[in-house]
Amino acid sequence: MAKIAYILLCHKDPEAVIEQAERLTATGDCMAIHFDGRASASAFRKIRTALTDNPNVTFAKRRVKCGWGEWSLVRATLNTLQAAVEDFPRATHFYMLSGDCMAIKTADYARSFLDQQDKDFIESFDFFDSNWIKTGMKEDRLIYRHFFNERTQKRRFYAAYGAQKRLGLTRKIPADLQVQIGSQWWCLRRRTVEAILDMTRKRRDVMRFFASTWIPDETFFQTLVRHLIREEEIECRTLTFLMFSDYGMPVVFHNDHYDLLLSQDFLFARKISPDAKSLKTRLGRLYAAHDVTFQISNEGRNLFQFLSERGRTGQRFAPRFWETESSLGRERELLIVASKKWHVAKRLLAAIGAQTDIPTIEYLFDEENTPLPDLGGIQRTLEKRTRHRRALMRMLFDYYETDRLVVCMDPAALDLMHDFFSDRSHTRLLRIDCDFSDSYLIGHARRVGLAGERAPQATLEQLLPTIRNDIANEVDQIRGAGFSHHWAVQERASEEENARAISNFLDLSHETALDIVRAPHLFAD
């Protein structure tokens, strides 16, 4: 009989991790957990304390600070696999999971399914010949070295990438490897996992290559499995049911998806909405149930496509993503930086990006050319971004796979701030109070079209008091709005005072906040 060791990579919500581990090990299966090294030590202690007496739970011997698209995700997976292989000698299969996954079949069904098919389940398509990558970088993921995270260190990422392209610093793929690509959610047999771990010890050239490949969690295991295992022993599919919208975002499942999920020919599903309490409860009970019959129809993707098309004509039957009242999500935290001096806010965001792994986005509601990922068109104009602001923000949270996001807004955007503060998510505001010289205000008047380049000096001097009062009024309106979790940094304040505000705003240590405050020329014009 198959015995499954679940490989769980997670970074938040210790209560949910504990619940998931207890649920999946209660029927005799095992779990090895990697809790992101960036997460708090107290959260990790809570998980370890709660599960310390569970003999079917183990932990990666070394925690890694993980980042999307980085080698760190593969390193964390290998560490967790090694712990599972050592601590669970009777495990026959190793199944990769995230905290957003839930079982959509019983344990009995899963073991019987794996017993009947002596195969590895992993998507692995030819990297160059398949169309698995729809947009963005393809061959350049492999032939150039990537040392920075594109999402949190965008400027460094593209500077290093561009320099290599200009200088022709390409590299060769290890000659005996045919690079494959596919989903990171796999289920592998024990002998396959042991062969992979053995290869990682013997082939340092392969490890070096993938360590500087961009998004290696989509290529590393996929390539090594094809290299080590005969084709007839590989089922090129995942056992985790997941779908993507035509905006490239993962589809989130809600309470009314229970029957649909059970009818899919998969063992788990991803992603379950944090607000789908009823669905989570029903699926949580399912795994330990006995004598459950499943009618497999596999119509999920076709049904989703049908409903998506109806939604575009206003005919979809259930409220979902685009409605005005749609929430960003209870567990998410939107961090707003408001500054009239946009260049100061951008410098602060660059400093935050350098000191933390929180994704940052500049003035997305004010500047048309703000760098944004391709979200299917919603990001193309300021009018679209503002009209669908909650939908846009939710898509950005999903794209960056984060629960924390920093964005810049002009202080005049008080209506946007009110809207986000009224959401069920957690919203915080950091106001940057700057000094404004006459020369700066004159430049501002010209930039926004209040005055032309040839406007007489007397006209400009008449404008200055009005502009200064407008800026002061915007700040007063923000201060009088009664926003909770609202702090300010000030050009005239000390480093210690500003560091305290940033520490509270970002929930960081005082030392890290000081490093952010000390960013070169932060307030310079």
Side-chain angles (χ1 to χ4, degrees):
M1 175 67 75
K3 185 180 181 68
I4 306 170
Y6 291 106
I7 307 301
L8 178 65
L9 265 58
C10 48
H11 64 280
K12 61 179 181 179
D13 201 350
E15 293 82 3
V17 173
I18 294 165
E19 183 180 344
Q20 190 178 28
E22 290 176 340
R23 181 172 60 245
L24 293 178
T25 61
T27 61
D29 290 315
C30 308
M31 178 174 286
I33 299 173
H34 178 276
F35 196 65
D36 195 338
R38 296 186 189 276
S40 71
S42 61
F44 183 54
R45 281 197 302 272
K46 185 173 185 177
I47 296 171
R48 294 222 46 160
T49 301
L51 299 174
T52 188
D53 294 328
N54 189 330
N56 289 339
V57 173
T58 191
F59 294 86
K61 301 299 186 288
R62 178 172 172 268
R63 293 171 64 199
V64 177
K65 293 181 179 180
C66 296
W68 187 93
E70 295 179 4
W71 169 251
S72 54
L73 284 172
V74 178
R75 183 70 267 171
T77 305
L78 289 171
N79 290 353
T80 316
L81 271 176
Q82 186 66 54
V85 167
E86 292 174 359
D87 294 346
F88 306 130
R90 297 181 61 190
T92 61
H93 294 77
F94 298 81
Y95 195 123
M96 182 79 170
L97 286 179
S98 78
D100 295 321
C101 298
M102 289 199 73
I104 56 174
K105 297 291 186 292
T106 63
D108 291 344
Y109 182 99
R111 294 174 193 139
S112 176
F113 179 92
L114 295 174
D115 279 337
Q116 292 169 22
Q117 303 191 55
D118 186 21
K119 292 184 177 182
D120 295 305
F121 290 86
I122 183 169
E123 280 188 351
S124 52
F125 303 98
D126 187 276
F127 185 92
F128 297 100
D129 293 339
S130 71
N131 64 346
W132 202 85
I133 299 175
K134 303 296 184 184
T135 60
M137 191 183 294
K138 189 170 182 179
E139 182 183 18
D140 289 1
R141 289 190 188 189
L142 307 178
I143 64 173
Y144 296 107
R145 297 168 178 83
H146 303 280
F147 302 107
F148 302 105
N149 189 301
E150 191 266 348
R151 292 188 172 181
T152 60
Q153 299 172 292
K154 188 179 291 289
R155 291 177 182 171
R156 291 180 179 177
F157 179 92
Y158 284 107
Y161 171 49
Q164 291 178 81
K165 291 189 75 172
R166 289 192 301 273
L167 297 172
L169 299 177
T170 59
R171 61 174 178 173
K172 292 183 179 180
I173 299 168
D176 59 332
L177 291 186
Q178 184 176 357
V179 179
Q180 305 287 308
I181 191 167
S183 167
Q184 70 189 97
W185 311 111
W186 38 253
C187 178
L188 304 177
R189 298 166 298 174
R190 185 180 193 91
R191 61 178 176 272
T192 302
V193 168
E194 290 175 341
I196 290 172
L197 293 174
D198 185 58
M199 186 172 178
T200 64
R201 290 186 285 268
K202 294 179 178 177
R203 293 291 302 272
R204 308 313 301 173
D205 60 322
V206 172
M207 298 295 280
R208 284 194 299 271
F209 173 77
F210 281 105
S212 55
T213 295
W214 182 232
I215 320 182
D217 54 301
E218 293 180 351
T219 54
F220 180 80
F221 291 99
Q222 296 78 357
T223 301
L224 266 60
V225 170
R226 283 282 177 186
H227 182 76
L228 295 166
I229 305 300
R230 296 183 305 168
E231 183 173 358
E232 55 268 29
E233 294 183 38
I234 301 172
E235 190 76 18
C236 189
R237 57 166 291 205
T238 175
L239 294 179
T240 298
F241 181 57
L242 66 162
M243 297 190 296
F244 291 88
S245 71
D246 48 6
Y247 294 100
M249 296 292 105
V251 172
V252 177
F253 299 110
H254 296 264
N255 288 331
D256 54 353
H257 285 131
Y258 180 79
D259 292 326
L260 179 144
L261 291 175
L262 265 60
S263 67
Q264 306 310 305
D265 190 18
F266 296 85
L267 304 184
F268 281 76
R270 180 180 193 273
K271 295 182 166 182
I272 309 299
S273 168
D275 296 324
K277 306 299 183 185
S278 173
L279 178 62
K280 286 188 169 186
T281 299
R282 297 176 75 184
L283 292 178
R285 294 170 180 162
L286 176 69
Y287 192 69
H290 298 284
D291 301 322
V292 179
T293 302
F294 297 94
Q295 300 296 326
I296 306 298
S297 63
N298 246 10
E299 83 294 350
R301 290 186 171 87
N302 291 336
L303 182 58
F304 174 76
Q305 182 180 3
F306 171 80
L307 293 177
S308 297
E309 291 170 353
R310 299 288 78 71
R312 294 189 182 93
T313 58
Q315 298 173 20
R316 189 172 58 203
F317 66 89
R320 281 290 184 271
F321 190 72
W322 293 97
E323 286 76 355
T324 303
E325 65 272 16
S326 178
S327 171
L328 305 187
R330 292 183 186 276
E331 304 303 321
R332 286 172 168 168
E333 193 170 56
L334 181 63
L335 304 160
I336 300 173
V337 174
S339 176
K340 203 67 181 179
K341 286 189 176 180
W342 294 3
H343 59 282
V344 175
K346 290 177 182 180
R347 287 187 196 129
L348 182 65
L349 255 64
I352 291 171
Q355 297 295 332
T356 75
D357 62 349
I358 308 172
T360 60
I361 301 174
E362 295 176 358
Y363 285 86
L364 73 167
F365 297 111
D366 301 282
E367 288 186 302
E368 198 93 52
N369 62 349
T370 297
L372 290 172
D374 185 356
L375 302 174
I378 190 176
Q379 82 290 347
R380 288 177 185 164
T381 67
L382 291 177
E383 190 272 335
K384 277 189 176 181
R385 296 178 201 171
T386 303
R387 186 171 73 244
H388 301 301
R389 50 187 174 268
R390 291 198 187 185
L392 170 68
M393 206 62 69
R394 186 160 186 154
M395 292 173 83
L396 288 168
F397 275 108
D398 288 341
Y399 176 82
Y400 289 109
E401 295 190 342
T402 184
D403 288 331
R404 306 187 81 204
L405 189 66
V406 183
V407 299
C408 286
M409 291 186 192
D410 191 277
L414 191 63
D415 58 332
L416 290 177
M417 298 178 201
H418 275 297
D419 186 39
F420 287 122
F421 267 96
S422 68
D423 188 74
R424 288 181 293 177
S425 60
H426 304 284
T427 304
R428 296 182 174 211
L429 175 65
L430 181 71
R431 198 182 73 247
I432 303 179
D433 293 342
C434 299
D435 295 335
F436 296 93
S437 65
D438 287 352
S439 61
Y440 179 86
L441 292 179
I442 290 171
H444 173 75
R446 287 173 173 153
R447 284 191 294 274
V448 300
L450 289 175
E453 290 297 326
R454 298 182 180 180
Q457 185 66 24
T459 302
L460 293 173
E461 289 175 356
Q462 288 178 341
L463 281 174
L464 290 180
T466 303
I467 297 172
R468 199 180 294 278
N469 287 336
D470 281 347
I471 293 174
N473 184 54
E474 289 173 357
V475 173
D476 285 341
Q477 285 185 312
I478 292 175
R479 295 175 68 179
F483 295 135
S484 59
H485 303 103
H486 171 199
W487 297 270
V489 296
Q490 298 175 315
E491 186 169 355
R492 298 188 180 187
S494 68
E495 285 186 350
E496 286 290 330
E497 290 172 319
N498 286 339
R500 278 197 296 273
I502 290 176
S503 176
N504 290 326
F505 172 64
L506 295 174
D507 195 19
L508 293 174
S509 69
H510 187 70
E511 291 73 19
T512 303
L514 269 175
D515 289 336
I516 293 172
V517 167
R518 290 167 178 164
H521 316 297
L522 181 60
F523 289 100
D525 289 334

